[in-house]
Amino acid sequence: MITPKRISLPGDGLEMVADAYGDPAAPAVCFFHGGGQSRRSWAGSARHVAQAGYYGLTFDLRGHGDSGWASDGDYLLEAYGRDVEAIIQAIEGPLALVGASRGGQSALVGGSHRPDRVRLIMLADVAPYMVDTGVDEIRGFFRASDSGFASLEDAADALHVHLGQPRLPNVSGLAKSMREEDGRLFWHWDPRTTAPEFLHPPSEGETLIAAARRVKSPLILVKAELSDIVSDESVKRFHALTPQLHVEIARGVGHMFTGDRNDAFAERLLHHLAIHMPL
């Protein structure tokens, strides 16, 4: 098994921490996680692409995991996009961007500014036009997390109830994603990232629409068949903005389908990498 190496790259005024898999001289595939996750969420896919000959990099988003917290409290989508653009600038050669949920939005916004460098953008169930009622579950998860948890079991219950993830039979792995404060367990993110003004505000949609109109790189959307975030109408409107958009359906799964077990997604990704960024 490939063992990752922790690295850091500059974001927009803060440090972006990543786990790096494979040969740094190979074309890079950069992974960005969704809300309630960390860089470890993409570990399986990063190992797969590294085994195939690519350089897999899984990043903690700003305010998450080991990446820097925004000193000015800026967690609007534009800031996440600027981080991705800074990462692209710091990496040599062609690269691909992969993202789920908030990470997918960040990849689209940042990658849309660098068509000269980005050979592929692949999104897991995220689009410029999202069903706002579907975001309520994510808002509920963050509200349930605000006061922390008494145990890892309680944290696992929150993931299951609010994000629709299968209930973990063994919760010990959650410890690496949490921090302790005053006897309570908190997710390892800046609490300011979950403020209501950062959860699908009107400016977010405007930023995504502008990015979708601007992006020139090949763009793949893997839509979850049971998604409550991305509807068929969302996909139709996305395609109107981005003619090169290619859509695939992940059958029988919901919005957070990448979760921590994303080997099936990796096979889809490798297929498209072979077309758009062959070794």
Side-chain angles (χ1 to χ4, degrees), residues 135-218:
V135 183
D136 285 342
E137 287 297 326
I138 298 174
R139 294 187 179 106
F141 170 67
F142 289 139
R143 284 195 300 269
S145 303
D146 283 345
S147 58
F149 303 97
S151 67
L152 293 176
E153 293 286 349
D154 289 348
D157 287 341
L159 288 170
H160 174 62
V161 170
H162 295 286
L163 297 186
Q165 296 187 10
R167 180 56 167 81
L168 293 171
N170 183 350
V171 301
S172 60
L174 290 179
K176 63 189 177 185
S177 299
M178 309 200 81
R179 56 186 174 84
E180 186 174 349
E181 183 178 323
D182 298 328
R184 303 280 292 177
L185 295 173
F186 294 85
W187 299 110
H188 201 249
W189 63 53
D190 183 344
R192 294 175 296 177
T193 65
T194 66
E197 61 264 32
F198 299 135
L199 299 179
H200 199 214
S203 64
E204 181 177 289
E206 295 164 4
T207 299
L208 287 167
I209 290 168
R213 286 181 172 141
R214 184 172 55 238
V215 67
K216 301 301 180 187
S217 304

Side-chain angles (χ1 to χ4, degrees), residues 3 15 35 59 121 126 132 139 186:
T3 301
E15 179 185 55
F59 286 89
I121 301 174
V126 69
D132 190 65
R139 294 187 179 106
F186 294 85

Side-chain angles (χ1 to χ4, degrees), residues 221-239:
L221 167 63
V222 182
K223 180 191 178 302
E225 182 181 23
L226 307 180
S227 177
D228 53 2
I229 297 286
V230 179
S231 66
D232 291 341
E233 180 65 20
S234 301
V235 173
K236 181 179 178 181
R237 297 176 74 184
F238 194 177
H239 200 275

Side-chain angles (χ1 to χ4, degrees), residues 6-269:
R6 173 173 161 155
I7 68 168
S8 62
L9 293 175
D12 183 45
L14 44 73
E15 179 185 55
M16 304 295 293
V17 171
D19 283 340
Y21 299 78
D23 181 3
V29 183
C30 300
F31 295 87
F32 303 95
H33 62 80
Q37 297 181 320
S38 73
R39 69 183 188 274
R40 297 177 181 88
S41 299
W42 280 115
S45 287
R47 282 195 176 93
H48 266 66
V49 300
Q51 289 166 351
Y54 294 93
Y55 185 41
L57 297 167
T58 65
F59 286 89
D60 280 331
L61 297 178
R62 65 167 45 211
H64 291 71
D66 295 312
S67 286
W69 290 15
S71 59
D72 58 359
D74 186 358
Y75 292 108
L76 288 170
L77 179 56
E78 291 94 334
Y80 290 98
R82 292 193 301 270
D83 290 334
V84 172
E85 193 172 358
I87 288 168
I88 295 169
Q89 182 66 28
I91 295 173
E92 295 184 3
L95 70 160
L97 306 176
V98 182
S101 197
R102 173 63 86 195
Q105 294 175 326
S106 306
L108 177 60
V109 173
S112 69
H113 290 289
R114 294 305 305 268
D116 57 319
R117 298 287 312 288
V118 179
R119 298 293 183 266
L120 173 69
I121 301 174
M122 193 159 176
L123 309 177
D125 205 54
V126 69
Y129 301 98
M130 297 194 299
V131 181
D132 190 65
T133 54
V135 183
D136 285 342
E137 287 297 326
I138 298 174
R139 294 187 179 106
F141 170 67
F142 289 139
R143 284 195 300 269
S145 303
D146 283 345
S147 58
F149 303 97
S151 67
L152 293 176
E153 293 286 349
D154 289 348
D157 287 341
L159 288 170
H160 174 62
V161 170
H162 295 286
L163 297 186
Q165 296 187 10
R167 180 56 167 81
L168 293 171
N170 183 350
V171 301
S172 60
L174 290 179
K176 63 189 177 185
S177 299
M178 309 200 81
R179 56 186 174 84
E180 186 174 349
E181 183 178 323
D182 298 328
R184 303 280 292 177
L185 295 173
F186 294 85
W187 299 110
H188 201 249
W189 63 53
D190 183 344
R192 294 175 296 177
T193 65
T194 66
E197 61 264 32
F198 299 135
L199 299 179
H200 199 214
S203 64
E204 181 177 289
E206 295 164 4
T207 299
L208 287 167
I209 290 168
R213 286 181 172 141
R214 184 172 55 238
V215 67
K216 301 301 180 187
S217 304
L219 185 62
I220 312 295
L221 167 63
V222 182
K223 180 191 178 302
E225 182 181 23
L226 307 180
S227 177
D228 53 2
I229 297 286
V230 179
S231 66
D232 291 341
E233 180 65 20
S234 301
V235 173
K236 181 179 178 181
R237 297 176 74 184
F238 194 177
H239 200 275
L241 295 172
T242 314
Q244 78 270 27
L245 178 69
H246 172 76
V247 181
E248 299 180 359
I249 306 297
R251 300 292 178 187
V253 294
H255 175 66
M256 297 298 289
F257 71 96
T258 52
D260 290 326
R261 293 172 296 278
N262 40 53
D263 291 358
F265 188 93
E267 293 303 321
R268 293 177 183 265
L269 172 58

